[in-house]
Short mmCIF file of all heavy atoms in Angstrom, two decimals:
data_model
loop_
_atom_site.label_atom_id
_atom_site.label_comp_id
_atom_site.label_asym_id
_atom_site.label_seq_id
_atom_site.Cartn_x
_atom_site.Cartn_y
_atom_site.Cartn_z
N LEU B 20 -13.94 23.82 29.45
CA LEU B 20 -13.97 24.32 30.83
C LEU B 20 -14.03 23.15 31.81
O LEU B 20 -14.67 22.13 31.53
CB LEU B 20 -15.21 25.21 30.98
CG LEU B 20 -15.25 26.17 32.15
CD1 LEU B 20 -14.05 27.13 32.13
CD2 LEU B 20 -16.53 27.00 32.10
N ASP B 21 -13.36 23.30 32.92
CA ASP B 21 -13.41 22.33 34.00
C ASP B 21 -14.89 22.05 34.34
O ASP B 21 -15.67 22.98 34.49
CB ASP B 21 -12.70 22.99 35.22
CG ASP B 21 -12.57 22.03 36.38
OD1 ASP B 21 -13.61 21.56 36.88
OD2 ASP B 21 -11.42 21.78 36.78
N PRO B 22 -15.28 20.75 34.44
CA PRO B 22 -16.70 20.43 34.68
C PRO B 22 -17.32 21.17 35.87
O PRO B 22 -18.50 21.55 35.82
CB PRO B 22 -16.69 18.92 34.93
CG PRO B 22 -15.45 18.43 34.28
CD PRO B 22 -14.46 19.54 34.30
N LYS B 23 -16.53 21.41 36.92
CA LYS B 23 -17.08 22.12 38.09
C LYS B 23 -17.47 23.55 37.71
O LYS B 23 -18.46 24.08 38.17
CB LYS B 23 -16.03 22.19 39.21
CG LYS B 23 -15.84 20.89 39.94
CD LYS B 23 -14.76 21.07 41.01
CE LYS B 23 -14.03 19.77 41.22
NZ LYS B 23 -12.68 19.94 41.72
N LEU B 24 -16.66 24.14 36.84
CA LEU B 24 -16.94 25.50 36.42
C LEU B 24 -18.10 25.56 35.42
O LEU B 24 -18.78 26.57 35.31
CB LEU B 24 -15.68 26.15 35.82
CG LEU B 24 -14.57 26.44 36.83
CD1 LEU B 24 -13.32 26.95 36.13
CD2 LEU B 24 -15.03 27.48 37.86
N VAL B 25 -18.31 24.46 34.69
CA VAL B 25 -19.44 24.41 33.75
C VAL B 25 -20.75 24.57 34.53
O VAL B 25 -21.64 25.33 34.14
CB VAL B 25 -19.44 23.10 32.93
CG1 VAL B 25 -20.71 22.97 32.10
CG2 VAL B 25 -18.22 23.03 32.02
N THR B 26 -20.86 23.87 35.67
CA THR B 26 -22.06 23.97 36.51
C THR B 26 -22.25 25.42 36.96
O THR B 26 -23.34 25.97 36.87
CB THR B 26 -21.93 23.04 37.74
OG1 THR B 26 -21.50 21.77 37.26
CG2 THR B 26 -23.23 22.92 38.49
N PHE B 27 -21.14 26.02 37.42
CA PHE B 27 -21.21 27.42 37.86
C PHE B 27 -21.68 28.31 36.69
O PHE B 27 -22.59 29.13 36.84
CB PHE B 27 -19.83 27.89 38.37
CG PHE B 27 -19.59 29.36 38.19
CD1 PHE B 27 -20.22 30.28 39.03
CD2 PHE B 27 -18.79 29.84 37.16
CE1 PHE B 27 -20.03 31.65 38.83
CE2 PHE B 27 -18.61 31.20 36.95
CZ PHE B 27 -19.24 32.10 37.80
N ALA B 28 -21.08 28.10 35.51
CA ALA B 28 -21.39 28.94 34.35
C ALA B 28 -22.86 28.81 33.98
O ALA B 28 -23.55 29.82 33.75
CB ALA B 28 -20.51 28.55 33.15
N GLU B 29 -23.36 27.57 33.97
CA GLU B 29 -24.76 27.37 33.56
C GLU B 29 -25.74 27.96 34.56
O GLU B 29 -26.74 28.56 34.17
CB GLU B 29 -25.01 25.89 33.28
CG GLU B 29 -24.51 25.60 31.86
CD GLU B 29 -24.33 24.15 31.51
OE1 GLU B 29 -24.62 23.28 32.37
OE2 GLU B 29 -23.87 23.90 30.37
N GLU B 30 -25.41 27.82 35.84
CA GLU B 30 -26.30 28.39 36.85
C GLU B 30 -26.30 29.92 36.74
O GLU B 30 -27.33 30.57 36.84
CB GLU B 30 -25.85 27.97 38.26
CG GLU B 30 -26.29 26.54 38.58
CD GLU B 30 -25.69 25.99 39.88
OE1 GLU B 30 -25.01 26.76 40.61
OE2 GLU B 30 -25.90 24.79 40.13
N HIS B 31 -25.10 30.46 36.54
CA HIS B 31 -25.00 31.93 36.45
C HIS B 31 -25.74 32.45 35.21
O HIS B 31 -26.49 33.43 35.28
CB HIS B 31 -23.53 32.37 36.44
CG HIS B 31 -23.38 33.85 36.34
ND1 HIS B 31 -23.72 34.70 37.38
CD2 HIS B 31 -22.99 34.65 35.32
CE1 HIS B 31 -23.53 35.96 37.00
NE2 HIS B 31 -23.08 35.95 35.75
N LEU B 32 -25.53 31.75 34.07
CA LEU B 32 -26.16 32.21 32.83
C LEU B 32 -27.69 32.18 32.93
O LEU B 32 -28.38 33.02 32.34
CB LEU B 32 -25.70 31.32 31.66
CG LEU B 32 -24.29 31.62 31.14
CD1 LEU B 32 -23.79 30.50 30.26
CD2 LEU B 32 -24.26 32.95 30.37
N ALA B 33 -28.20 31.21 33.69
CA ALA B 33 -29.66 31.08 33.83
C ALA B 33 -30.24 32.29 34.57
O ALA B 33 -31.43 32.59 34.43
CB ALA B 33 -29.99 29.79 34.57
N SER B 34 -29.40 32.98 35.36
CA SER B 34 -29.95 34.07 36.16
C SER B 34 -29.40 35.45 35.78
O SER B 34 -29.78 36.44 36.39
CB SER B 34 -29.65 33.79 37.64
OG SER B 34 -28.24 33.81 37.82
N CYS B 35 -28.50 35.50 34.78
CA CYS B 35 -27.90 36.81 34.44
C CYS B 35 -28.06 37.10 32.94
O CYS B 35 -27.27 36.61 32.12
CB CYS B 35 -26.43 36.82 34.85
SG CYS B 35 -25.62 38.38 34.46
N PRO B 36 -29.07 37.86 32.55
CA PRO B 36 -29.29 38.14 31.12
C PRO B 36 -28.12 38.90 30.47
O PRO B 36 -27.85 38.70 29.28
CB PRO B 36 -30.57 39.00 31.10
CG PRO B 36 -30.91 39.31 32.51
CD PRO B 36 -30.09 38.46 33.42
N ASP B 37 -27.40 39.72 31.23
CA ASP B 37 -26.27 40.47 30.65
C ASP B 37 -25.18 39.50 30.18
O ASP B 37 -24.63 39.65 29.08
CB ASP B 37 -25.68 41.44 31.67
CG ASP B 37 -26.67 42.53 32.05
OD1 ASP B 37 -27.66 42.68 31.33
OD2 ASP B 37 -26.45 43.20 33.08
N CYS B 38 -24.87 38.54 31.04
CA CYS B 38 -23.84 37.55 30.65
C CYS B 38 -24.35 36.68 29.50
O CYS B 38 -23.58 36.26 28.64
CB CYS B 38 -23.44 36.70 31.85
SG CYS B 38 -22.33 37.58 32.96
N GLY B 39 -25.66 36.41 29.52
CA GLY B 39 -26.27 35.63 28.43
C GLY B 39 -26.05 36.35 27.10
O GLY B 39 -25.66 35.73 26.10
N GLU B 40 -26.27 37.66 27.10
CA GLU B 40 -26.11 38.44 25.86
C GLU B 40 -24.64 38.50 25.44
O GLU B 40 -24.29 38.39 24.27
CB GLU B 40 -26.66 39.85 26.04
CG GLU B 40 -26.55 40.65 24.75
CD GLU B 40 -27.11 42.07 24.86
OE1 GLU B 40 -28.12 42.25 25.56
OE2 GLU B 40 -26.53 42.97 24.25
N ASN B 41 -23.78 38.64 26.45
CA ASN B 41 -22.34 38.67 26.20
C ASN B 41 -21.88 37.39 25.51
O ASN B 41 -21.09 37.41 24.56
CB ASN B 41 -21.65 38.79 27.56
CG ASN B 41 -20.57 39.83 27.55
OD1 ASN B 41 -20.11 40.25 26.50
ND2 ASN B 41 -20.15 40.23 28.73
N LEU B 42 -22.40 36.27 26.01
CA LEU B 42 -22.05 34.96 25.45
C LEU B 42 -22.59 34.82 24.02
O LEU B 42 -21.90 34.36 23.12
CB LEU B 42 -22.61 33.85 26.36
CG LEU B 42 -22.35 32.43 25.90
CD1 LEU B 42 -20.90 32.04 26.15
CD2 LEU B 42 -23.25 31.43 26.63
N GLU B 43 -23.83 35.27 23.85
CA GLU B 43 -24.48 35.19 22.54
C GLU B 43 -23.69 36.01 21.51
O GLU B 43 -23.46 35.57 20.38
CB GLU B 43 -25.89 35.80 22.70
CG GLU B 43 -26.90 35.31 21.69
CD GLU B 43 -28.24 36.05 21.86
OE1 GLU B 43 -28.53 36.54 22.96
OE2 GLU B 43 -28.95 36.15 20.85
N LEU B 44 -23.23 37.18 21.95
CA LEU B 44 -22.45 38.07 21.09
C LEU B 44 -21.13 37.41 20.69
O LEU B 44 -20.68 37.50 19.54
CB LEU B 44 -22.19 39.37 21.86
CG LEU B 44 -21.83 40.62 21.09
CD1 LEU B 44 -22.90 40.97 20.07
CD2 LEU B 44 -21.66 41.79 22.06
N MET B 45 -20.50 36.72 21.63
CA MET B 45 -19.24 36.06 21.33
C MET B 45 -19.45 34.89 20.37
O MET B 45 -18.70 34.71 19.42
CB MET B 45 -18.61 35.56 22.65
CG MET B 45 -17.24 34.94 22.46
SD MET B 45 -16.03 36.11 21.80
CE MET B 45 -14.79 36.00 23.06
N LYS B 46 -20.51 34.11 20.61
CA LYS B 46 -20.77 32.95 19.74
C LYS B 46 -21.08 33.42 18.32
O LYS B 46 -20.58 32.85 17.35
CB LYS B 46 -21.97 32.15 20.28
CG LYS B 46 -21.64 31.25 21.45
CD LYS B 46 -22.86 30.43 21.78
CE LYS B 46 -22.61 29.43 22.88
NZ LYS B 46 -23.87 28.81 23.33
N LYS B 47 -21.90 34.45 18.19
CA LYS B 47 -22.26 34.95 16.86
C LYS B 47 -21.03 35.53 16.16
O LYS B 47 -20.81 35.30 14.97
CB LYS B 47 -23.34 36.03 17.01
CG LYS B 47 -23.92 36.50 15.70
CD LYS B 47 -25.08 35.66 15.26
CE LYS B 47 -25.76 36.24 14.04
NZ LYS B 47 -27.07 35.67 13.81
N SER B 48 -20.20 36.24 16.93
CA SER B 48 -18.97 36.81 16.36
C SER B 48 -18.10 35.69 15.78
O SER B 48 -17.57 35.80 14.68
CB SER B 48 -18.16 37.56 17.41
OG SER B 48 -18.91 38.60 17.95
N LEU B 49 -17.98 34.61 16.55
CA LEU B 49 -17.15 33.48 16.10
C LEU B 49 -17.69 32.87 14.81
O LEU B 49 -16.93 32.54 13.90
CB LEU B 49 -17.13 32.40 17.18
CG LEU B 49 -16.01 32.50 18.19
CD1 LEU B 49 -16.14 31.40 19.23
CD2 LEU B 49 -14.67 32.34 17.49
N THR B 50 -19.02 32.71 14.75
CA THR B 50 -19.62 32.14 13.54
C THR B 50 -19.34 33.06 12.34
O THR B 50 -19.02 32.59 11.25
CB THR B 50 -21.15 32.00 13.73
OG1 THR B 50 -21.39 31.40 14.98
CG2 THR B 50 -21.78 31.18 12.64
N ILE B 51 -19.45 34.37 12.57
CA ILE B 51 -19.21 35.32 11.47
C ILE B 51 -17.74 35.27 11.03
O ILE B 51 -17.43 35.22 9.84
CB ILE B 51 -19.59 36.76 11.90
CG1 ILE B 51 -21.09 36.85 12.16
CG2 ILE B 51 -19.16 37.78 10.86
CD1 ILE B 51 -21.56 38.17 12.77
N ILE B 52 -16.84 35.24 12.02
CA ILE B 52 -15.40 35.23 11.70
C ILE B 52 -15.06 33.96 10.91
O ILE B 52 -14.44 34.02 9.85
CB ILE B 52 -14.55 35.33 12.98
CG1 ILE B 52 -14.75 36.72 13.62
CG2 ILE B 52 -13.07 35.09 12.70
CD1 ILE B 52 -14.35 36.81 15.08
N LYS B 53 -15.52 32.82 11.42
CA LYS B 53 -15.21 31.56 10.72
C LYS B 53 -15.80 31.56 9.31
O LYS B 53 -15.16 31.16 8.35
CB LYS B 53 -15.74 30.36 11.52
CG LYS B 53 -14.92 30.12 12.79
CD LYS B 53 -15.46 28.97 13.61
CE LYS B 53 -14.66 28.82 14.90
NZ LYS B 53 -15.17 27.79 15.79
N GLY B 54 -17.03 32.06 9.19
CA GLY B 54 -17.71 32.10 7.89
C GLY B 54 -17.01 33.02 6.90
O GLY B 54 -16.96 32.76 5.70
N SER B 55 -16.45 34.11 7.41
CA SER B 55 -15.81 35.10 6.53
C SER B 55 -14.52 34.61 5.91
O SER B 55 -14.04 35.17 4.94
CB SER B 55 -15.51 36.38 7.32
OG SER B 55 -16.69 37.03 7.63
N PHE B 56 -13.92 33.60 6.52
CA PHE B 56 -12.64 33.12 5.99
C PHE B 56 -12.77 31.85 5.16
O PHE B 56 -11.78 31.27 4.76
CB PHE B 56 -11.65 32.89 7.14
CG PHE B 56 -11.04 34.17 7.64
CD1 PHE B 56 -11.68 34.92 8.61
CD2 PHE B 56 -9.85 34.64 7.12
CE1 PHE B 56 -11.14 36.11 9.07
CE2 PHE B 56 -9.29 35.83 7.58
CZ PHE B 56 -9.93 36.57 8.55
N GLN B 57 -14.02 31.41 4.96
CA GLN B 57 -14.20 30.19 4.17
C GLN B 57 -14.23 30.53 2.70
O GLN B 57 -15.29 30.75 2.12
CB GLN B 57 -15.51 29.51 4.56
CG GLN B 57 -15.35 28.63 5.77
CD GLN B 57 -16.65 28.01 6.19
OE1 GLN B 57 -17.68 28.30 5.62
NE2 GLN B 57 -16.60 27.15 7.19
N GLU B 58 -13.09 30.64 2.12
CA GLU B 58 -13.05 30.93 0.70
C GLU B 58 -11.86 30.20 0.08
O GLU B 58 -10.98 29.72 0.78
CB GLU B 58 -12.90 32.42 0.47
CG GLU B 58 -11.65 32.96 1.11
CD GLU B 58 -11.39 34.40 0.74
OE1 GLU B 58 -12.32 35.21 0.77
OE2 GLU B 58 -10.25 34.70 0.41
N GLN B 59 -11.88 30.12 -1.22
CA GLN B 59 -10.79 29.45 -1.91
C GLN B 59 -9.51 30.27 -1.76
O GLN B 59 -9.54 31.49 -1.84
CB GLN B 59 -11.14 29.33 -3.41
CG GLN B 59 -12.16 28.26 -3.71
CD GLN B 59 -11.64 26.87 -3.40
OE1 GLN B 59 -10.54 26.54 -3.79
NE2 GLN B 59 -12.42 26.07 -2.70
N VAL B 60 -8.45 29.57 -1.52
CA VAL B 60 -7.16 30.25 -1.43
C VAL B 60 -6.75 30.65 -2.85
O VAL B 60 -7.01 29.91 -3.79
CB VAL B 60 -6.15 29.25 -0.82
CG1 VAL B 60 -4.74 29.78 -0.91
CG2 VAL B 60 -6.54 28.96 0.61
N PRO B 61 -6.16 31.84 -3.03
CA PRO B 61 -5.72 32.21 -4.38
C PRO B 61 -4.72 31.21 -4.95
O PRO B 61 -4.16 30.41 -4.20
CB PRO B 61 -5.04 33.57 -4.17
CG PRO B 61 -5.19 33.93 -2.76
CD PRO B 61 -5.84 32.83 -2.02
N ASP B 62 -4.48 31.30 -6.24
CA ASP B 62 -3.56 30.36 -6.89
C ASP B 62 -2.30 30.15 -6.08
O ASP B 62 -1.71 31.10 -5.59
CB ASP B 62 -3.17 30.90 -8.27
CG ASP B 62 -4.25 30.59 -9.26
OD1 ASP B 62 -5.10 29.74 -8.93
OD2 ASP B 62 -4.25 31.20 -10.34
N SER B 63 -1.92 28.94 -5.97
CA SER B 63 -0.74 28.64 -5.15
C SER B 63 0.54 29.00 -5.90
O SER B 63 0.52 29.53 -7.00
CB SER B 63 -0.76 27.16 -4.79
OG SER B 63 0.25 26.91 -3.87
N CYS B 64 1.66 28.70 -5.28
CA CYS B 64 2.93 29.06 -5.89
C CYS B 64 3.75 27.79 -6.09
O CYS B 64 4.94 27.76 -5.84
CB CYS B 64 3.65 30.06 -5.01
SG CYS B 64 3.50 29.70 -3.25
N GLN B 65 3.02 26.72 -6.50
CA GLN B 65 3.64 25.40 -6.61
C GLN B 65 4.91 25.35 -7.45
O GLN B 65 5.91 24.78 -7.03
CB GLN B 65 2.64 24.43 -7.25
CG GLN B 65 1.51 24.08 -6.34
CD GLN B 65 0.56 23.09 -6.98
OE1 GLN B 65 0.74 22.70 -8.13
NE2 GLN B 65 -0.44 22.68 -6.23
N LYS B 66 4.85 26.00 -8.63
CA LYS B 66 5.97 25.89 -9.56
C LYS B 66 7.24 26.53 -8.96
O LYS B 66 8.29 25.90 -8.91
CB LYS B 66 5.61 26.56 -10.89
CG LYS B 66 6.42 26.05 -12.04
CD LYS B 66 5.99 26.69 -13.33
CE LYS B 66 7.15 26.64 -14.30
NZ LYS B 66 7.00 27.63 -15.37
N GLU B 67 7.07 27.78 -8.48
CA GLU B 67 8.22 28.48 -7.89
C GLU B 67 8.78 27.69 -6.72
O GLU B 67 10.00 27.58 -6.56
CB GLU B 67 7.80 29.85 -7.36
CG GLU B 67 7.31 30.81 -8.41
CD GLU B 67 6.45 31.91 -7.80
OE1 GLU B 67 6.89 32.54 -6.83
OE2 GLU B 67 5.32 32.13 -8.30
N LEU B 68 7.88 27.15 -5.92
CA LEU B 68 8.28 26.42 -4.72
C LEU B 68 9.15 25.21 -5.09
O LEU B 68 10.20 24.98 -4.49
CB LEU B 68 7.00 25.96 -4.02
CG LEU B 68 7.08 25.64 -2.55
CD1 LEU B 68 7.67 26.81 -1.78
CD2 LEU B 68 5.68 25.35 -2.01
N ARG B 69 8.73 24.48 -6.12
CA ARG B 69 9.50 23.29 -6.52
C ARG B 69 10.88 23.68 -7.06
O ARG B 69 11.86 22.99 -6.82
CB ARG B 69 8.70 22.49 -7.54
CG ARG B 69 7.79 21.54 -6.83
CD ARG B 69 6.67 20.99 -7.65
NE ARG B 69 5.84 20.14 -6.80
CZ ARG B 69 5.06 20.60 -5.83
NH1 ARG B 69 4.99 21.90 -5.59
NH2 ARG B 69 4.35 19.77 -5.08
N GLU B 70 10.91 24.81 -7.76
CA GLU B 70 12.22 25.26 -8.30
C GLU B 70 13.18 25.59 -7.16
O GLU B 70 14.36 25.22 -7.19
CB GLU B 70 12.02 26.50 -9.19
CG GLU B 70 11.57 26.12 -10.59
CD GLU B 70 11.09 27.32 -11.39
OE1 GLU B 70 11.34 28.46 -10.98
OE2 GLU B 70 10.43 27.09 -12.44
#
Side-chain angles (χ1 to χ4, degrees):
Chain B
L20 198 58
D21 185 300
K23 284 179 211 155
L24 290 174
V25 172
T26 312
F27 151 75
E29 278 164 2
E30 282 171 6
H31 180 70
L32 283 166
S34 64
C35 180
D37 295 345
C38 283
E40 182 179 324
N41 226 343
L42 179 74
E43 205 184 335
L44 200 57
M45 184 62 124
K46 281 186 176 171
K47 187 88 173 196
S48 300
L49 269 178
T50 312
I51 295 173
I52 293 161
K53 288 178 183 176
S55 290
F56 281 86
Q57 276 177 356
E58 58 173 46
Q59 284 295 313
V60 170
D62 279 345
S63 188
C64 40
Q65 289 182 358
K66 203 178 156 201
E67 296 159 51
L68 202 54
R69 273 162 183 70
E70 279 168 13

